Amino acid sequence: MCCFHSNKRSSRGQVNMSSVTVESVVKTPALIGEGPVWEESEQTLLFVDIAGEKIHRWSSTSNQIQSVETGDTVGFVVPRESGGYVAGVGRSILAVDWSSQMMTPLAKVDEDKLNTRLNDGKVDPFGRLLAGTMAKESPHGQIERKQGSLYSVNSDLAVTRLLSQVDISNGLEWSLDQRTFFYIDSLSLTVDAFDYEPTSGSLANRRVVYRMKEGEGLPDGMTTDVDGRLWVACYNGGRVIHIDPTTGVQLQTVSLPVTKVTSCCFGGPDFSDLFVTSASLGLDQSEKSQQPLAGNTFRVRGLGVKGQPSRSFIG
């Protein structure tokens, strides 16, 4: 177990820095680990390896990992209310039957493009699926800008484009009153907010709630805690930052022993553990030797806050 420390005052007062621990729990390295989701009923962590083209389930009780191959890049996976999962594979949204490993097409996005893929996705408080796209990476990791979009998928599987001209569609979250949608387009180096209309799921009044500081890297995936504060994974920043979206103040920093931190979610028996995914793709040999845990998934304990249960897609 490796211990790292918070260096900011939290919303509940000063965190006991010596109590914050960071432990590598999923030691199978991912090329691009992403999209962690805690399954409360099974005490399992669901996440994807985008470039590895796999969906993983790690059991916190048995420490075993099960995997399903997707045959193409997989940007996200979420539970489905009717059973199984829904995943974003390539530009398709698929139903996934875990036991049979069968995948059934439900919808498709970016039908007017061939150079994009689905990236981050999450279920809103009303059971809709929101999922975004980005241009496919070149062999050197470059992407064509402004090729992505953000979509909403309703229970009848109707697809609505909410945003276009997106660079890298990433973190998605909602405020406790469900009226504000938080969103990350990574290359903008900001966390943005929109007014969110519950009935239609429409967006309005875009504004910046946090701007990344030098050394923090790119904002990637994020989650909320029970106080409505955001936890943002910092790609190439080696950390997760805890921010208050109402004030724009950074409350706390959690350092990780890897630079390419990709996403996070709360889980564990009482949702007080923060699970953090990471990537190894793009590191050179020197960087890999300095970061032997790159691509692993980590569990952070002692933060003094709790998260909320994951939501299931109703389609």
Side-chain angles (χ1 to χ4, degrees):
M1 181 181 289
C2 305
C3 294
F4 299 84
H5 303 316
S6 308
N7 62 6
K8 295 282 183 178
R9 182 174 295 274
S10 80
S11 60
R12 298 171 182 267
Q14 188 65 40
V15 169
N16 179 358
M17 294 191 296
S18 63
S19 69
V20 177
T21 61
V22 179
E23 177 189 7
S24 171
V25 291
V26 183
K27 298 176 173 62
T28 304
L31 293 175
I32 308 176
E34 258 287 7
V37 175
W38 183 255
E39 298 184 282
E40 186 176 11
S41 60
E42 302 291 331
Q43 293 290 294
T44 53
L45 186 72
L46 190 69
F47 66 102
V48 302
D49 183 348
I50 296 176
E53 302 180 359
K54 290 180 180 178
I55 302 170
H56 295 302
R57 279 181 66 185
W58 172 76
S59 169
S60 64
T61 54
S62 70
N63 197 31
Q64 298 298 305
I65 188 166
Q66 299 175 318
S67 306
V68 169
E69 295 188 3
T70 56
D72 200 348
T73 56
V74 52
F76 67 87
V77 61
V78 296
R80 191 180 190 188
E81 193 172 77
S82 58
Y85 304 108
V86 171
V89 179
R91 288 178 290 118
S92 297
I93 294 168
L94 308 177
V96 180
D97 184 298
W98 191 264
S99 58
S100 69
Q101 302 198 1
M102 291 290 293
M103 300 188 190
T104 308
L106 298 177
K108 196 157 190 176
V109 300
D110 278 2
E111 294 196 80
D112 54 338
K113 297 182 179 181
L114 297 175
N115 68 325
T116 61
R117 66 166 179 82
L118 280 157
N119 200 42
D120 208 352
K122 193 167 284 187
V123 178
D124 81 355
F126 311 97
R128 296 184 196 90
L129 172 66
L130 268 70
T133 60
M134 59 178 283
K136 293 178 181 177
E137 300 92 335
S138 73
H140 302 291
Q142 303 299 309
I143 66 161
E144 187 178 353
R145 298 193 64 167
K146 306 300 179 187
Q147 297 301 299
S149 298
L150 177 69
Y151 293 94
S152 173
V153 185
N154 292 329
S155 58
D156 60 0
L157 303 180
V159 178
T160 303
R161 181 178 284 169
L162 300 177
L163 298 172
S164 58
Q165 300 287 304
V166 174
D167 285 324
I168 302 177
S169 187
N170 249 321
L172 312 96
E173 263 302 346
W174 287 263
S175 60
L176 297 182
D177 67 3
Q178 306 170 352
R179 295 284 182 166
T180 302
F181 170 59
F182 300 107
Y183 179 66
I184 290 171
D185 180 356
S186 290
L187 297 189
S188 71
L189 298 178
T190 60
V191 180
D192 294 349
F194 294 82
D195 295 341
Y196 196 71
E197 208 290 305
T199 304
S200 66
S202 62
L203 307 179
N205 189 27
R206 187 172 191 165
R207 64 267 188 196
V208 174
V209 296
Y210 184 80
R211 194 174 300 278
M212 302 295 282
K213 299 177 177 63
E214 185 175 354
E216 287 182 343
L218 301 178
D220 202 327
M222 65 177 165
T223 192
T224 52
D225 59 32
V226 293
D227 297 321
R229 276 67 180 261
L230 301 174
W231 296 78
V232 180
C234 300
Y235 187 84
N236 286 337
R239 70 196 76 181
V240 174
I241 56 174
H242 181 201
I243 63 175
D244 185 337
T246 61
T247 63
V249 172
Q250 186 191 124
L251 304 168
Q252 192 175 350
T253 297
V254 178
S255 296
L256 279 295
V258 295
T259 56
K260 296 184 181 298
V261 180
T262 55
S263 193
C264 55
C265 77
F266 281 97
D270 62 354
F271 287 91
S272 64
D273 296 341
L274 184 70
F275 290 93
V276 184
T277 52
S278 71
S280 60
L281 188 67
L283 296 176
D284 61 30
Q285 283 305 119
S286 173
E287 290 169 325
K288 286 180 180 177
S289 65
Q290 294 168 10
Q291 301 176 46
L293 301 181
N296 289 12
T297 299
F298 301 87
R299 178 171 56 199
V300 184
R301 286 177 160 167
L303 292 170
V305 295
K306 294 183 180 181
Q308 305 170 75
S310 60
R311 296 179 289 263
S312 298
F313 176 53
I314 60 173

PDB file of all heavy atoms in Angstrom, residues 6-25:
ATOM      1  N   SER A   6      -3.403  14.576   1.081  1.00  0.00           N
ATOM      2  CA  SER A   6      -4.148  15.732   0.620  1.00  0.00           C
ATOM      3  C   SER A   6      -3.400  16.996   1.037  1.00  0.00           C
ATOM      4  O   SER A   6      -2.729  17.023   2.056  1.00  0.00           O
ATOM      5  CB  SER A   6      -5.540  15.756   1.258  1.00  0.00           C
ATOM      6  OG  SER A   6      -6.185  14.516   1.073  1.00  0.00           O
ATOM      7  N   ASN A   7      -3.545  18.047   0.225  1.00  0.00           N
ATOM      8  CA  ASN A   7      -2.837  19.272   0.570  1.00  0.00           C
ATOM      9  C   ASN A   7      -3.728  20.503   0.577  1.00  0.00           C
ATOM     10  O   ASN A   7      -3.257  21.622   0.503  1.00  0.00           O
ATOM     11  CB  ASN A   7      -1.658  19.506  -0.384  1.00  0.00           C
ATOM     12  CG  ASN A   7      -2.102  19.685  -1.821  1.00  0.00           C
ATOM     13  OD1 ASN A   7      -3.294  19.744  -2.102  1.00  0.00           O
ATOM     14  ND2 ASN A   7      -1.135  19.776  -2.719  1.00  0.00           N
ATOM     15  N   LYS A   8      -5.049  20.277   0.647  1.00  0.00           N
ATOM     16  CA  LYS A   8      -5.984  21.390   0.722  1.00  0.00           C
ATOM     17  C   LYS A   8      -6.978  21.126   1.847  1.00  0.00           C
ATOM     18  O   LYS A   8      -7.197  20.003   2.266  1.00  0.00           O
ATOM     19  CB  LYS A   8      -6.747  21.551  -0.605  1.00  0.00           C
ATOM     20  CG  LYS A   8      -5.855  21.950  -1.789  1.00  0.00           C
ATOM     21  CD  LYS A   8      -5.529  23.406  -1.756  1.00  0.00           C
ATOM     22  CE  LYS A   8      -4.706  23.805  -2.984  1.00  0.00           C
ATOM     23  NZ  LYS A   8      -4.403  25.207  -3.024  1.00  0.00           N
ATOM     24  N   ARG A   9      -7.615  22.183   2.276  1.00  0.00           N
ATOM     25  CA  ARG A   9      -8.646  22.049   3.298  1.00  0.00           C
ATOM     26  C   ARG A   9      -9.925  21.534   2.646  1.00  0.00           C
ATOM     27  O   ARG A   9     -10.339  22.007   1.601  1.00  0.00           O
ATOM     28  CB  ARG A   9      -8.909  23.408   3.942  1.00  0.00           C
ATOM     29  CG  ARG A   9      -9.947  23.356   5.073  1.00  0.00           C
ATOM     30  CD  ARG A   9     -10.039  24.709   5.764  1.00  0.00           C
ATOM     31  NE  ARG A   9      -8.796  25.038   6.434  1.00  0.00           N
ATOM     32  CZ  ARG A   9      -8.504  24.648   7.670  1.00  0.00           C
ATOM     33  NH1 ARG A   9      -9.346  23.900   8.346  1.00  0.00           N
ATOM     34  NH2 ARG A   9      -7.371  24.986   8.216  1.00  0.00           N
ATOM     35  N   SER A  10     -10.541  20.538   3.239  1.00  0.00           N
ATOM     36  CA  SER A  10     -11.761  19.973   2.673  1.00  0.00           C
ATOM     37  C   SER A  10     -12.977  20.711   3.211  1.00  0.00           C
ATOM     38  O   SER A  10     -12.891  21.553   4.099  1.00  0.00           O
ATOM     39  CB  SER A  10     -11.884  18.489   3.045  1.00  0.00           C
ATOM     40  OG  SER A  10     -12.382  18.342   4.347  1.00  0.00           O
ATOM     41  N   SER A  11     -14.148  20.349   2.642  1.00  0.00           N
ATOM     42  CA  SER A  11     -15.390  20.991   3.050  1.00  0.00           C
ATOM     43  C   SER A  11     -15.744  20.670   4.495  1.00  0.00           C
ATOM     44  O   SER A  11     -16.540  21.368   5.113  1.00  0.00           O
ATOM     45  CB  SER A  11     -16.527  20.527   2.128  1.00  0.00           C
ATOM     46  OG  SER A  11     -16.689  19.130   2.211  1.00  0.00           O
ATOM     47  N   ARG A  12     -15.171  19.633   5.058  1.00  0.00           N
ATOM     48  CA  ARG A  12     -15.500  19.224   6.432  1.00  0.00           C
ATOM     49  C   ARG A  12     -14.400  19.626   7.406  1.00  0.00           C
ATOM     50  O   ARG A  12     -14.303  19.084   8.484  1.00  0.00           O
ATOM     51  CB  ARG A  12     -15.707  17.708   6.476  1.00  0.00           C
ATOM     52  CG  ARG A  12     -16.866  17.233   5.612  1.00  0.00           C
ATOM     53  CD  ARG A  12     -16.880  15.725   5.537  1.00  0.00           C
ATOM     54  NE  ARG A  12     -17.937  15.251   4.678  1.00  0.00           N
ATOM     55  CZ  ARG A  12     -19.151  14.913   5.092  1.00  0.00           C
ATOM     56  NH1 ARG A  12     -19.466  15.012   6.347  1.00  0.00           N
ATOM     57  NH2 ARG A  12     -20.055  14.487   4.244  1.00  0.00           N
ATOM     58  N   GLY A  13     -13.553  20.549   6.980  1.00  0.00           N
ATOM     59  CA  GLY A  13     -12.446  20.945   7.835  1.00  0.00           C
ATOM     60  C   GLY A  13     -11.170  20.291   7.350  1.00  0.00           C
ATOM     61  O   GLY A  13     -11.102  19.749   6.264  1.00  0.00           O
ATOM     62  N   GLN A  14     -10.147  20.333   8.146  1.00  0.00           N
ATOM     63  CA  GLN A  14      -8.854  19.815   7.727  1.00  0.00           C
ATOM     64  C   GLN A  14      -8.842  18.291   7.759  1.00  0.00           C
ATOM     65  O   GLN A  14      -9.132  17.684   8.783  1.00  0.00           O
ATOM     66  CB  GLN A  14      -7.750  20.349   8.643  1.00  0.00           C
ATOM     67  CG  GLN A  14      -6.354  20.018   8.158  1.00  0.00           C
ATOM     68  CD  GLN A  14      -6.042  20.702   6.852  1.00  0.00           C
ATOM     69  OE1 GLN A  14      -6.407  21.840   6.661  1.00  0.00           O
ATOM     70  NE2 GLN A  14      -5.375  20.000   5.959  1.00  0.00           N
ATOM     71  N   VAL A  15      -8.540  17.695   6.612  1.00  0.00           N
ATOM     72  CA  VAL A  15      -8.427  16.236   6.542  1.00  0.00           C
ATOM     73  C   VAL A  15      -7.156  15.805   7.263  1.00  0.00           C
ATOM     74  O   VAL A  15      -6.121  16.465   7.177  1.00  0.00           O
ATOM     75  CB  VAL A  15      -8.386  15.784   5.060  1.00  0.00           C
ATOM     76  CG1 VAL A  15      -7.991  14.315   4.957  1.00  0.00           C
ATOM     77  CG2 VAL A  15      -9.738  16.005   4.402  1.00  0.00           C
ATOM     78  N   ASN A  16      -7.247  14.707   7.978  1.00  0.00           N
ATOM     79  CA  ASN A  16      -6.057  14.119   8.576  1.00  0.00           C
ATOM     80  C   ASN A  16      -5.244  13.498   7.442  1.00  0.00           C
ATOM     81  O   ASN A  16      -5.558  12.425   6.944  1.00  0.00           O
ATOM     82  CB  ASN A  16      -6.453  13.058   9.603  1.00  0.00           C
ATOM     83  CG  ASN A  16      -5.253  12.392  10.235  1.00  0.00           C
ATOM     84  OD1 ASN A  16      -4.106  12.695   9.893  1.00  0.00           O
ATOM     85  ND2 ASN A  16      -5.515  11.503  11.165  1.00  0.00           N
ATOM     86  N   MET A  17      -4.177  14.196   7.020  1.00  0.00           N
ATOM     87  CA  MET A  17      -3.475  13.797   5.808  1.00  0.00           C
ATOM     88  C   MET A  17      -2.867  12.410   5.919  1.00  0.00           C
ATOM     89  O   MET A  17      -2.788  11.677   4.947  1.00  0.00           O
ATOM     90  CB  MET A  17      -2.410  14.837   5.462  1.00  0.00           C
ATOM     91  CG  MET A  17      -3.010  16.197   5.086  1.00  0.00           C
ATOM     92  SD  MET A  17      -1.790  17.319   4.379  1.00  0.00           S
ATOM     93  CE  MET A  17      -0.686  17.533   5.764  1.00  0.00           C
ATOM     94  N   SER A  18      -2.451  12.044   7.112  1.00  0.00           N
ATOM     95  CA  SER A  18      -1.830  10.735   7.272  1.00  0.00           C
ATOM     96  C   SER A  18      -2.831   9.602   7.128  1.00  0.00           C
ATOM     97  O   SER A  18      -2.453   8.444   6.966  1.00  0.00           O
ATOM     98  CB  SER A  18      -1.138  10.642   8.639  1.00  0.00           C
ATOM     99  OG  SER A  18      -2.101  10.752   9.672  1.00  0.00           O
ATOM    100  N   SER A  19      -4.149   9.941   7.158  1.00  0.00           N
ATOM    101  CA  SER A  19      -5.167   8.897   7.079  1.00  0.00           C
ATOM    102  C   SER A  19      -5.555   8.572   5.642  1.00  0.00           C
ATOM    103  O   SER A  19      -6.258   7.592   5.402  1.00  0.00           O
ATOM    104  CB  SER A  19      -6.416   9.318   7.858  1.00  0.00           C
ATOM    105  OG  SER A  19      -7.068  10.384   7.210  1.00  0.00           O
ATOM    106  N   VAL A  20      -5.137   9.391   4.681  1.00  0.00           N
ATOM    107  CA  VAL A  20      -5.496   9.148   3.281  1.00  0.00           C
ATOM    108  C   VAL A  20      -4.522   8.149   2.676  1.00  0.00           C
ATOM    109  O   VAL A  20      -3.316   8.397   2.626  1.00  0.00           O
ATOM    110  CB  VAL A  20      -5.495  10.462   2.475  1.00  0.00           C
ATOM    111  CG1 VAL A  20      -5.809  10.188   1.004  1.00  0.00           C
ATOM    112  CG2 VAL A  20      -6.500  11.449   3.057  1.00  0.00           C
ATOM    113  N   THR A  21      -5.033   7.002   2.241  1.00  0.00           N
ATOM    114  CA  THR A  21      -4.185   5.969   1.648  1.00  0.00           C
ATOM    115  C   THR A  21      -4.622   5.684   0.220  1.00  0.00           C
ATOM    116  O   THR A  21      -5.816   5.740  -0.109  1.00  0.00           O
ATOM    117  CB  THR A  21      -4.237   4.664   2.460  1.00  0.00           C
ATOM    118  OG1 THR A  21      -5.582   4.167   2.471  1.00  0.00           O
ATOM    119  CG2 THR A  21      -3.766   4.889   3.884  1.00  0.00           C
ATOM    120  N   VAL A  22      -3.648   5.371  -0.614  1.00  0.00           N
ATOM    121  CA  VAL A  22      -3.880   5.011  -2.014  1.00  0.00           C
ATOM    122  C   VAL A  22      -3.307   3.619  -2.228  1.00  0.00           C
ATOM    123  O   VAL A  22      -2.112   3.405  -2.042  1.00  0.00           O
ATOM    124  CB  VAL A  22      -3.216   6.014  -2.970  1.00  0.00           C
ATOM    125  CG1 VAL A  22      -3.461   5.601  -4.418  1.00  0.00           C
ATOM    126  CG2 VAL A  22      -3.719   7.434  -2.717  1.00  0.00           C
ATOM    127  N   GLU A  23      -4.160   2.689  -2.619  1.00  0.00           N
ATOM    128  CA  GLU A  23      -3.754   1.290  -2.787  1.00  0.00           C
ATOM    129  C   GLU A  23      -4.111   0.813  -4.189  1.00  0.00           C
ATOM    130  O   GLU A  23      -5.224   1.058  -4.676  1.00  0.00           O
ATOM    131  CB  GLU A  23      -4.488   0.433  -1.751  1.00  0.00           C
ATOM    132  CG  GLU A  23      -4.213  -1.053  -1.856  1.00  0.00           C
ATOM    133  CD  GLU A  23      -5.133  -1.851  -0.946  1.00  0.00           C
ATOM    134  OE1 GLU A  23      -6.052  -1.263  -0.343  1.00  0.00           O
ATOM    135  OE2 GLU A  23      -4.927  -3.077  -0.860  1.00  0.00           O
ATOM    136  N   SER A  24      -3.183   0.144  -4.848  1.00  0.00           N
ATOM    137  CA  SER A  24      -3.468  -0.488  -6.134  1.00  0.00           C
ATOM    138  C   SER A  24      -4.264  -1.764  -5.875  1.00  0.00           C
ATOM    139  O   SER A  24      -3.765  -2.688  -5.237  1.00  0.00           O
ATOM    140  CB  SER A  24      -2.165  -0.810  -6.868  1.00  0.00           C
ATOM    141  OG  SER A  24      -2.426  -1.592  -8.016  1.00  0.00           O
ATOM    142  N   VAL A  25      -5.510  -1.809  -6.359  1.00  0.00           N
ATOM    143  CA  VAL A  25      -6.354  -2.976  -6.087  1.00  0.00           C
ATOM    144  C   VAL A  25      -6.578  -3.842  -7.319  1.00  0.00           C
ATOM    145  O   VAL A  25      -6.741  -5.056  -7.207  1.00  0.00           O
ATOM    146  CB  VAL A  25      -7.716  -2.567  -5.474  1.00  0.00           C
ATOM    147  CG1 VAL A  25      -7.522  -2.042  -4.064  1.00  0.00           C
ATOM    148  CG2 VAL A  25      -8.455  -1.562  -6.341  1.00  0.00           C
TER     149      VAL A  25
END
